[in-house]
Amino acid sequence: MQGATTSITDPSGGNEPKKFTFDFSYWSHDGCKDDGTGYFGPDSSHANAKKFADQKRVYNELGAGVLNNAWEGYNSTLFAYGQTGSGKSWSMVGYGVNKGIVPMYCDHLFQQINQKTAEGSTHQYEVTFSMIEIYNENVQDLLDSSNSKTALKVRQHPKMGFYADGVKEVPVGSYVEIEQRTEEGTRNRTVASTKMNATSSRAHTIVCIKFVQKSTNDAGEEMAKTSVVNLVDLAGSERAESTGATGDRLKEGAAINQSLSSLGNCIAALADRASGKNTRVPYRNSVLTKLLKNALGGNSKTIMIAALSPADINYDETLSTLRYADRAKQIKCSAKVNEDPTAALIRELQEENEKLKAMLASGKVDMSMMEAGEGSEDMTDEERNQLKEDLENEYKSALEKNQQDMANMEQEFQKRLAEAQASSDFSDIAALNEKKKTHPHLYNLNMDPQMTGKITHIIDQDDEIIIGNGKCEGTDLTLRGLADLHCKIMHKDGVFTLETFPNARTLRNGKSVTSETKTLKNNDRLLFGTTQFYVFCNPNDKSESKVTDPTFEMAQAEIATKSGGFDMSGSNKSRDDAILQQNLIETMPGVEEANSISQALDKRKRFDMIIVSPEARGELSGRTEVMVKMTDTDTKHEWIWTSNKFLDRKCIMSEMFDKYEDGKDWQLPQDKDPFYDDPAAHTQIGCVKMWLQSLSYMLESNELLDVTDLKGGVVGKMSLGVFPCDPKGKEYTEKDDKFVENPDELMGKNIDFKIKLVNIRGLPNRFTDVYCKYKVYLEDKFTQTKSIKDTINPDYNHERVISLPGNKETIEFLKTGAFVVQIWGVQKAVKAKAGGKTKAVLSGGAGIHAVNTNQTKFDPEKVKFMMEVGALKKRQEKMEQKLAHMRKMIEVAEEHKKRKVSTKLIKDIYHAPTNDQAEKCIALIPLEKDTDDEGEGGGSKPVGVIPPSKQGEKGLTLKKSGSKKSGSSSSSSDSSSSSSDDEKKKKEKSPKQKRKSSPKSARSTKSTKSEKKSSACVLL
Ligand SMILES: Nc1ncnc2c1ncn2[C@@H]1O[C@H](COP(=O)(O)OP(=O)(O)O)[C@@H](O)[C@H]1O
Ligand SMILES: [Mg+2]
C-alpha cells in the first residue's frame, strides 16, 4: 500500500503487480504493537510504523465524516466487504479496546450531543438503534430476545422505499446503552445461530442508527433534521462467486447468499449507469439490495470498506475483492439533507394515510404511488404485475408504519427512552461477565470470533450438568443436534469429570472421551455432537495449560489431525497445502454434520470427504482439492461434489434439520432436496495419464495403464499407446528410421503420431454407457470415443492422428508433458435394496469419521517415472544397437587391416535402422579402397570413433586415443553410399517385423557382450 494505492502481486510469480487506487488505502498488517492496554498502535521500532493505520486513524478519516454528515442531516451507509477473516468486523465493530467505526461513531455522537447540551443548546436530540441480520434471505431482528424465529417482512413504503416491517427501533440515551444493545444483539445472534446452526459467515448484519435533531426555526415551527446511518457488515465474500461455480441446480431455489450475489449485480449495474449506460438495477432480487437501495443509488453518502487478507493463499479472493471495490467506486450517489418541519411531516403522513385508506377501500391500486421512490424503469412487466398483487398488503403495513411514525413524532422522546431503558436489564450480562473471571465455566467457540464466548454456562461446586438436545427433562445445557442425553459434566471439589452417554459423540481436545481422558483441564476444547464447540475454562486451575487462548480454528485443526491423520500444523506449508488445509477445516465438520442429519432424517445417504489431486480429477495442473462423496446406502450410487457444492447443500440440510427439530414439515420435493442428486448424471469413473516422452525420440509407447478414480484407487486397466506415424496415419516401422537421439532434432519437422485407445478391462460393474474423452496439448475441445453399454470390458479400438509442429514448445511438451484420458459413464439403475435405518448403516461404516486416508493407493509420480524409464530404456536399446554396429565395424576394419573407413560408410552404419542393414554396410568395409594420403603409421592401426558432432564430411582416420589426430582423408565412398541407399529402399522380408528393437539382437555381437559396462552411450 502506497498512499491511496493498493498493489497486489501474484504469489505464483510472473506478472507485474496490479494496482488499484481508492480514496484511502490502509495498512494494518504489521508495524503495530500492543500499547499495554490491548490497543494496537504504531510500533515506532518497526519499518511499517508510519504506514500502520490503527482504528483511531480509520475512524478519524472515515467515521468522523459520517458523523459530520449526520449532524448536517445526510443519510450515510458504510459497508464492509471481504472474505471471512479479512477484518470486516474488525473495522466495523472492532474487538475489545480496539473499537471499530460503529462504536466510535456512537461514542462521538453522544460526546458531541452532551457537549452541545452543556453549551446550552436548546435542540432536542433523539437517537434510536436497531440491529438486524439477513441469513438466507430471512431478516431477523437481533434486538428481539423473544427468540421467535419469525422473520421480518421486507416491505415497500410509498415514500421511504423498502423497510423491514416491525423492526425494533430502540431509543438510546448514551453510548453505554448502544454498547449494551450491540452486545445483546450479538448474543441473540449467537444463540440463534447455534440453535439453527447457521454458518455465521453467511449472514449480513446491519446496524442502523437514526439521529433526529429537533429545533425551532425563526418562524416558530418545530424542525426535524434526520439522518439514518446504516452500518453493514456483509457476509464473507468467498461465497459470492463460489456458489455460481458449483453449478448446482439447488443454488437459486435455496437462495444461498442470493443477497451477496445480488449486491454484486447491483453494484455492477450502478457502475454501468455511472458510465452513461441505461442499465436496469436489480434491487428487487434480494432482501439486502432492497434494504440498501437508498444507500446504493439514492439518498445517501455511501462508503465501502474492502477488507483484504494479505496471506498469499488468499490471493484470488483478495484480487476479486479489489475488483469489486473498483467497480463500486464508480457509483455516484446523490444525497440530500433531510430537514423538514415536524408538523409538515406529520401532515404528510396523515394525508398519505388518508390516500392509503381510500385506496384500500376502493380496491384500486395506484402504481404511481409506489413508483415514486422506485423508478419505473427498474421494473419488468412481470415484476409490475407481481407488485400490483402485493400492493394491498403493502398499503396495510404502510398505514401502520405511518401511524407508528406519527405516534413516535408526537410522543415525547424522553418518555419512550425511559420506557426502553426500564424494560431491559443489562445488569445480568455485566454480572455474568464478572462471574466468569472467578468461576469455572463452559463457553462457546464460534467460527466467527465476534460470536465466541457469547454463550456461557457456569459450573458451580457439586453441579452435575446434563447436556442434550432438550428432549429430556432436567437438561441443563440444550444444544442443537445432540442426542437426547448426550453427556454430563460433574464438579466435585475442584475436579471436573466429563462422561458421555452411549451413542453420543463427544470429543475432548480432538479425541473421543475415554475413562482415562474424562478429567477436564483448563482450556480443554470440547466438541459435542458434530457442530457444538465449547471450551472448558477453569480460572482456578493454576497448572500451566499448553493452550492459552483456544480458537475455533485450533479446535477444528486438532480434530482434523487426530481423525484424518492430516498434518494441520501451520508451519512450512506450501501455498497449495495451506489452501488445502483451509478447505479441510471448512469441509470436515460439514461432512460430520451432514452424516448426522442424514441419520436423523433417515435420508439413506452417507458422506465422505475425499482429497483429490489434479491428476485424479483428470487435469494436468491445478490444486489438490477437497471433495465430498455422497453414497446412496441402498443403491450404492455415488456422487462426487466439489466442497462448495457440498457446503451450500449442507446449509439447506441444516435448515431441514431445524424444521425437523422444531416439529415442522421438513420434507422437500426431490428437486429441492439437498440429499438428492441425479442418478442418471454422467459420472467420472476415473482417468489415465499418458506421458509422451517416448514421442520426443520418435519412439512408440504402448502401455497397459491403471485407471484411477478420484480417490486414487485403481478401477481398471486401459490399453493405450502413442505411435509415431506419417501425416496420413501410417505407423513408422523400424526401417523408416525416425528415431532421434536428441529431441531437438525434431525442430522444424512435423511431428505426427497416432493415439490408440484399444480397450479398458475390469471397470466397476456399476457403470454403463462408458466412454472416454481426452484433450492433447493445446486442443481446446475434448475428443470423445463411442459409448459402450453394459460391459466392464469396453473395446474402443479408437485411433486418431495428431500433428504437431516441431517447435521449441512442442518439443518441450513431448519431453515432459502428458495427456489425460477421462473415463465417464452412467451409474446403472439398481433396484434399491432397503438396508436398515440410515443410522444403523452409517454407524457400521466410516461415514462419521469421514476422512479418506487411502489417497496413496495410486502414485501418479511412480507412473510418470515408469513411463520415463520405459522411454529411456527404448532409447538406450537404440543406442546400444548403434554402439554394437560401431564395434562390429571396428572389428571388421581391424580384421581386414583397414587403416581408414570412409565417413559416409561410418554414417550409414551408424544410422542403419536394423541389424540387417548394418551388417550389409559393414560387409562393404573390406571392399573400400584403403588409401593412405598422409602416410601415417601402417599395418594394423588401432582404431577409434570420433563423436558424430566432430566428424568431418570427409573420411577419418580411425585411431585409439593417444595417437595423433589425422587430417582429412579422401576415401571415395560414393559406391558404399549408393549401395546403402539401395539397401534402404529394399523392402524388408517380413514387413510385420516388430519395430521395437530387440535387446537380444542388439547385443548379439561379441563386443557388446564383452564390454557391456561401457555401452552406456559413451559417445552419443
Ligand atoms: N487490522 C487488524 N489488526 C489485528 N487483528 C485483526 C485485524 N483485522 C482482523 N483482525 C483479527 O482477525 C480475525 C478475523 O477478523 P474479523 O474482523 O472477525 O473478520 P471478518 O469479520 O471479515 O470475518 C479476528 O480475530 C480479528 O481480531
Ligand atoms: Mg465478521
Side-chain angles (χ1 to χ4, degrees):
M1 278 170 192
Q2 199 114 51
T5 302
T6 301
S7 311
I8 181 167
T9 314
D10 188 342
S12 53
N15 302 330
E16 282 280 291
K18 294 188 174 62
K19 291 190 171 162
F20 296 85
T21 301
F22 304 105
D23 295 323
F24 302 95
S25 282
Y26 294 112
W27 177 264
S28 67
H29 182 56
D30 56 12
C32 61
K33 66 168 188 220
D34 183 341
D35 71 355
T37 62
Y39 183 78
F40 287 108
D43 171 8
S44 52
S45 66
H46 195 282
N48 281 338
K50 275 220 171 80
K51 221 162 120 178
F52 176 76
D54 64 353
Q55 295 280 53
K56 283 182 191 144
R57 181 169 149 206
V58 176
Y59 176 76
N60 288 338
E61 291 178 8
L62 283 182
V66 176
L67 185 55
N68 289 341
N69 288 338
W71 281 104
E72 284 174 35
Y74 288 108
N75 295 339
S76 296
T77 302
L78 228 139
F79 56 93
Y81 182 92
Q83 75 183 105
T84 301
S86 59
K88 294 183 298 298
S89 305
W90 172 275
S91 312
M92 295 299 280
V93 187
Y95 288 86
V97 290
N98 293 282
K99 285 184 185 137
I101 295 171
V102 179
M104 285 219 251
Y105 169 85
C106 299
D107 194 4
H108 288 227
L109 175 64
F110 278 105
Q111 277 178 27
Q112 293 181 2
I113 289 176
N114 294 341
Q115 195 186 342
K116 286 207 169 97
T117 317
E119 286 166 5
S121 162
T122 53
H123 293 194
Q124 278 180 43
Y125 304 107
E126 305 175 356
V127 182
T128 50
F129 180 88
S130 66
M131 191 172 175
I132 57 167
E133 177 184 64
I134 302 175
Y135 185 81
N136 256 358
E137 296 305 283
N138 281 330
V139 182
Q140 294 288 338
D141 192 337
L142 292 179
L143 295 186
D144 181 2
S145 310
S146 67
N147 270 332
S148 64
K149 278 192 209 155
T150 33
L152 301 181
K153 283 216 164 58
V154 173
R155 299 204 177 273
Q156 196 179 16
H157 188 277
K159 278 264 151 54
M160 290 176 280
F162 294 102
Y163 66 99
D165 189 15
V167 68
K168 254 187 156 179
E169 287 176 2
V170 194
V172 276
S174 68
Y175 166 65
V176 176
E177 276 173 49
I178 289 205
E179 221 176 14
Q180 286 165 337
R181 293 289 178 188
T182 315
E183 171 85 11
E184 183 193 345
T186 313
R187 193 175 294 264
N188 284 339
R189 193 179 156 214
T190 312
V191 172
S193 109
T194 25
K195 265 198 185 149
M196 318 218 335
N197 205 39
T199 311
S200 46
S201 58
R202 289 174 187 250
H204 314 274
T205 329
I206 306 181
V207 166
C208 177
I209 296 158
K210 194 167 168 186
F211 175 45
V212 185
Q213 306 166 60
K214 284 187 178 157
S215 58
T216 318
N217 69 6
D218 296 343
E221 281 178 307
E222 186 184 75
M223 298 295 288
K225 203 191 263 182
T226 310
S227 150
V228 176
V229 177
N230 284 304
L231 301 138
V232 190
D233 193 350
L234 292 169
S237 58
E238 64 277 10
R239 297 271 155 248
E241 293 183 33
S242 62
T243 44
T246 64
D248 190 4
R249 78 196 150 79
L250 288 190
K251 189 195 115 211
E252 294 303 329
I256 290 166
N257 245 328
Q258 193 172 321
S259 276
L260 203 56
S261 327
S262 277
L263 181 64
N265 295 338
C266 287
I267 287 181
L270 285 162
D272 276 355
R273 277 192 165 194
S275 64
K277 282 187 213 154
N278 187 18
T279 320
R280 197 179 85 91
V281 186
Y283 293 116
R284 291 173 169 275
N285 286 358
S286 79
V287 165
L288 178 76
T289 45
K290 279 180 182 171
L291 292 176
L292 290 183
K293 181 169 181 286
N294 250 336
L296 291 167
N299 176 23
S300 175
K301 294 198 169 182
T302 299
I303 297 171
M304 173 172 165
I305 297 175
L308 310 176
S309 158
D312 59 358
I313 59 166
N314 294 324
Y315 170 75
D316 296 338
E317 198 52 50
T318 303
L319 181 60
S320 114
T321 301
L322 283 166
R323 292 200 166 124
Y324 196 98
D326 203 45
R327 238 174 286 142
K329 89 177 175 201
Q330 299 166 29
I331 301 173
K332 294 182 187 77
C333 290
S334 53
K336 66 171 181 45
V337 171
N338 308 301
E339 184 171 25
D340 296 286
T342 324
L345 283 174
I346 293 178
R347 201 169 49 239
E348 227 175 84
L349 285 172
Q350 268 165 346
E351 280 169 13
E352 207 178 84
N353 266 7
E354 292 313 314
K355 260 201 221 166
L356 286 169
K357 278 183 197 156
M359 246 185 295
L360 279 171
S362 70
K364 276 195 196 127
V365 167
D366 179 4
M367 291 292 286
S368 67
M369 188 171 170
M370 270 312 187
E371 284 172 12
E374 175 62 13
S376 54
E377 77 273 28
D378 279 349
M379 262 185 278
T380 62
D381 282 351
E382 202 180 311
E383 281 173 343
R384 208 177 278 263
N385 290 337
Q386 180 63 43
L387 181 64
K388 236 175 186 163
E389 272 179 44
D390 294 342
L391 274 179
E392 270 198 22
N393 279 336
E394 302 281 339
Y395 288 165
K396 282 184 199 148
S397 14
L399 204 86
E400 278 166 30
K401 178 150 177 65
N402 287 348
Q403 259 150 3
Q404 183 63 47
D405 285 354
M406 276 188 282
N408 285 348
M409 266 186 242
E410 279 160 349
Q411 197 191 13
E412 186 80 20
F413 178 77
Q414 291 308 326
K415 208 171 139 210
R416 285 202 291 139
L417 178 63
E419 272 169 24
Q421 284 166 339
S423 68
S424 40
D425 187 3
F426 294 110
S427 56
D428 282 0
I429 296 180
L432 184 64
N433 284 342
E434 267 316 296
K435 213 172 174 188
K436 272 159 67 175
K437 291 182 189 155
T438 50
H439 283 64
H441 61 275
L442 291 172
Y443 69 87
N444 75 310
L445 272 186
N446 195 291
M447 81 190 281
D448 186 343
Q450 286 273 335
M451 285 152 80
T452 284
K454 292 287 182 271
I455 300 176
T456 324
H457 200 96
I458 303 281
I459 312 170
D460 287 319
Q461 170 67 11
D462 295 327
D463 256 359
E464 186 177 286
I465 293 174
I466 308 274
I467 301 169
N469 64 10
K471 286 190 186 143
C472 282
E473 229 174 90
T475 307
D476 301 287
L477 185 54
T478 298
L479 300 172
R480 174 193 174 276
L482 302 195
D484 297 357
L485 279 176
H486 201 93
C487 60
K488 62 179 172 183
I489 296 174
M490 286 151 302
H491 177 190
K492 199 109 203 111
D493 302 326
V495 178
F496 296 82
T497 327
L498 171 67
E499 265 176 32
T500 303
F501 290 105
N503 297 325
R505 176 174 185 252
T506 309
L507 303 184
R508 172 176 170 251
N509 301 336
K511 280 197 216 149
S512 292
V513 181
T514 63
S515 51
E516 285 91 53
T517 59
K518 62 183 190 175
T519 311
L520 293 179
K521 298 247 161 31
N522 185 28
N523 284 340
D524 272 351
R525 283 77 59 208
L526 305 176
L527 173 63
F528 308 123
T530 54
T531 56
Q532 305 286 358
F533 281 93
Y534 276 76
V535 173
F536 169 71
C537 175
N538 183 0
N540 311 320
D541 185 350
K542 297 289 178 246
S543 62
E544 283 283 304
S545 171
K546 266 190 242 152
V547 180
T548 46
D549 217 348
T551 61
F552 183 76
E553 285 71 29
M554 193 190 286
Q556 296 237 293
E558 82 191 340
I559 293 172
T561 309
K562 293 192 174 139
S563 66
F566 297 109
D567 170 20
M568 287 293 176
S569 64
S571 55
N572 290 329
K573 285 253 148 98
S574 70
R575 178 168 176 245
D576 284 356
D577 282 352
I579 293 176
L580 177 66
Q581 177 171 332
Q582 212 177 34
N583 283 345
L584 276 170
I585 290 181
E586 251 189 339
T587 313
M588 187 149 23
V591 169
E592 308 252 359
E593 195 192 347
N595 276 321
S596 75
I597 297 177
S598 173
Q599 287 184 23
L601 306 182
D602 196 19
K603 290 302 275 184
R604 329 199 71 78
K605 295 290 183 325
R606 160 185 156 156
F607 298 86
D608 292 276
M609 189 164 79
I610 53 176
I611 293 169
V612 185
S613 64
E615 277 97 1
R617 289 196 301 274
E619 289 164 18
L620 284 168
S621 59
R623 290 191 193 117
T624 298
E625 275 176 16
V626 178
M627 299 187 109
V628 175
K629 180 178 77 169
M630 177 173 82
T631 312
D632 187 309
T633 56
D634 296 336
T635 64
K636 303 287 180 274
H637 279 161
E638 288 178 2
W639 298 266
I640 295 195
W641 295 346
T642 60
S643 61
N644 274 329
K645 175 170 173 177
F646 168 74
L647 289 171
D648 285 345
R649 283 187 171 223
K650 204 227 70 197
C651 276
I652 313 174
M653 295 174 194
S654 296
E655 267 174 47
M656 275 174 115
F657 183 69
D658 289 336
K659 289 194 180 140
Y660 165 82
E661 285 272 272
D662 292 350
K664 292 186 190 150
D665 178 17
W666 56 271
Q667 301 272 11
L668 285 173
Q670 196 178 66
D671 64 334
K672 297 218 159 56
D673 185 353
F675 288 95
Y676 174 83
D677 212 342
D678 185 2
H682 289 212
T683 312
Q684 187 173 335
I685 304 170
C687 65
V688 163
K689 192 170 187 179
M690 179 82 187
W691 297 90
L692 298 172
Q693 201 183 35
S694 64
L695 284 179
S696 68
Y697 298 103
M698 290 300 272
L699 292 169
E700 69 181 44
S701 175
N702 195 6
E703 310 284 340
L704 198 58
L705 294 168
D706 283 341
V707 179
T708 53
D709 66 6
L710 284 174
K711 288 166 281 174
V714 177
V715 290
K717 292 252 181 229
M718 177 184 281
S719 165
L720 179 66
V722 284
F723 299 81
C725 63
D726 72 9
K728 289 191 175 139
K730 186 172 159 292
E731 284 165 46
Y732 288 126
T733 64
E734 198 146 281
K735 75 178 186 44
D736 289 317
D737 189 31
K738 292 292 175 182
F739 168 73
V740 292
E741 285 163 35
N742 187 330
D744 291 342
E745 289 172 43
L746 296 172
M747 222 36 184
K749 297 178 186 162
N750 268 341
I751 308 165
D752 304 302
F753 62 94
K754 188 189 267 178
I755 290 181
K756 283 200 211 171
L757 198 171
V758 185
N759 59 38
I760 312 178
R761 294 291 176 255
L763 283 176
N765 157 38
R766 59 193 182 86
F767 294 103
T768 183
D769 298 300
V770 178
Y771 60 94
C772 306
K773 61 180 189 178
Y774 62 89
K775 280 195 266 197
V776 180
Y777 193 37
L778 302 175
E779 291 180 334
D780 52 4
K781 277 203 189 116
F782 277 105
T783 300
Q784 191 168 322
T785 65
K786 60 192 169 192
S787 135
I788 298 180
K789 268 191 190 319
D790 294 326
T791 170
I792 59 164
N793 299 320
D795 287 322
Y796 294 104
N797 295 318
H798 163 90
E799 292 192 2
R800 185 167 153 247
V801 178
I802 292 181
S803 302
L804 298 175
N807 55 33
K808 222 172 124 209
E809 292 76 28
T810 321
I811 293 170
E812 198 48 41
F813 163 68
L814 292 178
K815 270 158 67 179
T816 55
F819 74 99
V820 176
V821 181
Q822 301 177 1
I823 299 103
W824 288 74
V826 177
Q827 309 193 61
K828 279 185 200 161
V830 217
K831 250 204 187 146
K833 270 192 234 129
K837 279 224 158 220
T838 314
K839 185 161 187 156
V841 180
L842 289 199
S843 54
I848 292 290
H849 300 283
V851 178
N852 171 294
T853 44
N854 287 340
Q855 333 126 31
T856 46
K857 263 192 268 173
F858 169 80
D859 184 352
E861 276 305 305
K862 202 164 139 194
V863 175
K864 181 184 178 191
F865 180 69
M866 298 291 285
M867 289 185 72
E868 256 173 33
V869 169
L872 285 175
K873 210 167 132 198
K874 276 187 203 138
R875 179 171 172 257
Q876 186 173 344
E877 280 165 8
K878 278 278 181 194
M879 289 312 195
E880 275 185 16
Q881 186 187 27
K882 284 181 191 294
L883 194 60
H885 297 157
M886 288 290 113
R887 287 189 201 289
K888 183 79 199 254
M889 172 187 81
I890 294 164
E891 251 172 48
V892 172
E894 282 184 330
E895 208 176 283
H896 291 84
K897 305 218 171 352
K898 284 278 171 192
R899 296 181 61 227
K900 289 180 175 177
V901 179
S902 73
T903 318
K904 184 78 184 106
L905 190 51
I906 297 174
K907 267 184 163 177
D908 287 342
I909 298 168
Y910 184 77
H911 288 300
T914 60
N915 287 334
D916 254 15
Q917 218 159 332
E919 292 286 345
K920 278 177 193 157
C921 294
I922 290 169
L924 296 173
I925 296 175
L927 307 177
E928 267 199 330
K929 222 161 75 190
D930 199 4
T931 53
D932 184 6
D933 290 348
E934 287 163 29
E936 243 189 62
S940 60
K941 276 259 172 192
V943 287
V945 181
I946 308 290
S949 56
K950 293 188 181 164
Q951 284 175 6
E953 277 301 300
K954 298 277 174 64
L956 290 170
T957 303
L958 306 170
K959 51 188 198 167
K960 245 184 186 159
S961 55
S963 340
K964 232 177 149 191
K965 227 187 223 169
S966 70
S968 62
S969 97
S970 61
S971 117
S972 94
S973 53
D974 289 350
S975 59
S976 65
S977 130
S978 61
S979 70
S980 91
D981 278 348
D982 287 344
E983 288 295 330
K984 269 188 187 167
K985 280 170 201 157
K986 271 187 202 162
K987 279 218 160 191
E988 289 249 6
K989 269 180 196 158
S990 143
K992 284 203 168 178
Q993 185 195 23
K994 260 195 157 188
R995 263 204 87 225
K996 219 195 234 174
S997 61
S998 138
K1000 262 189 204 154
S1001 66
R1003 286 180 195 138
S1004 62
T1005 49
K1006 267 193 280 172
S1007 54
T1008 322
K1009 261 185 194 163
S1010 57
E1011 292 180 49
K1012 208 174 161 201
K1013 260 192 270 165
S1014 64
S1015 67
C1017 315
V1018 211
L1019 307 163
L1020 312 162

